Every structure is written in C-alpha cells, then in structure tokens.
Amino acid sequence: TVSIANIQHTDDGTYRARLQNDFGPVDVDFTISHQEKPTIITLPQNMTVNENGNVTFMCVARGDPIPSIYWTLNNRNISTSMFTTTSYTSPDITERQSFAASSTLTLINVTFDQDRGQYQC
C-alpha cells in the first residue's frame, strides 16, 4: 500500500512500484492527478443602477479542473450566453497553481421589473 497524505499539485505524476519475490520483479506504473474543488475568490459586488442604465458583475473562481461559472437571479438560473463573457487562465507549471475562471455578467438598459434582485455566481 502506498499512502500520500495531504496531496498537492506537486505530487502529480507517474509513479512506479516494484514488486519482487523468488520468481523475479514486476513493475507497476500508476498516475496521480490532483484535483481541487472550486473556490470563489472574487464575489460580485453590490451595485445600484438607474433605470435604463448598465451594470456589470464579476465573479472569479479557481479549481482543478477549471470550474464553470453560472449566474442566478433570486436563486433562479438565468440564461447568460448573451450577457456574459468568461475567460480562463492556466497555472504556472512551476508553481503548480489552480486553474482560474472569470465571468462577467453585463446587464444593458436595466429595468426594475425584470432585473431587480440578488445576482449570484
């Protein structure tokens, strides 16, 4: 049994175990790939906007694999393909950092009836 406590990105890679008895050796290769649950590192800020104004919210999350960012309005999923831009950054290989995703939600010509509420990513 091989056990690695507190696994980190620096532990990623291919390992080889050598088993041996009176009949000879056998090598077994195995791979460790660390994954990290998503964490929000930048939350959208509270905003006040005038009727017919524009507003942009931003959310940044990290994790491995790269997290997807979804938006809700008053706890209901909203279709954001027309209103959002999403970008991804890969880690510096020498640092073995998490991947990050950034999403902005832009509302144009805000109306209180349709757009008022709590937005979350």
Side-chain angles (χ1 to χ4, degrees):
T1 301
V2 174
S3 204
I4 300 175
N6 299 318
I7 194 164
Q8 303 291 320
H9 280 290
T10 54
D11 297 315
D12 286 3
T14 301
Y15 292 79
R16 175 169 287 167
R18 176 162 281 202
L19 313 170
Q20 188 166 342
N21 66 14
D22 293 341
F23 296 101
V26 174
D27 290 334
V28 177
D29 292 340
F30 60 96
T31 302
I32 292 178
S33 178
H34 173 269
Q35 294 186 338
E36 178 184 329
K37 74 178 188 174
T39 304
I40 296 174
I41 52 179
T42 302
L43 288 167
Q45 298 297 308
N46 291 333
M47 305 288 270
T48 301
V49 62
N50 294 326
E51 182 96 19
N52 299 317
N54 302 334
V55 64
T56 298
F57 298 101
M58 187 171 94
C59 180
V60 179
R62 71 171 177 230
D64 189 2
I66 297 172
S68 296
I69 298 175
Y70 301 94
W71 290 90
T72 62
L73 169 57
N74 298 325
N75 296 316
R76 300 175 111 188
N77 290 333
I78 55 176
S79 175
T80 58
S81 60
M82 294 175 49
F83 308 109
T84 65
T85 57
T86 303
S87 62
Y88 302 98
T89 58
S90 59
D92 178 338
I93 297 303
T94 59
E95 294 289 327
R96 308 297 287 186
Q97 297 170 347
S98 303
F99 291 89
S102 154
S103 179
T104 57
L105 172 65
T106 301
L107 304 174
I108 298 170
N109 294 323
V110 169
T111 62
F112 292 134
D113 293 340
Q114 280 187 308
D115 301 317
R116 172 185 257 168
Q118 182 179 19
Y119 289 85
Q120 294 177 306
C121 65

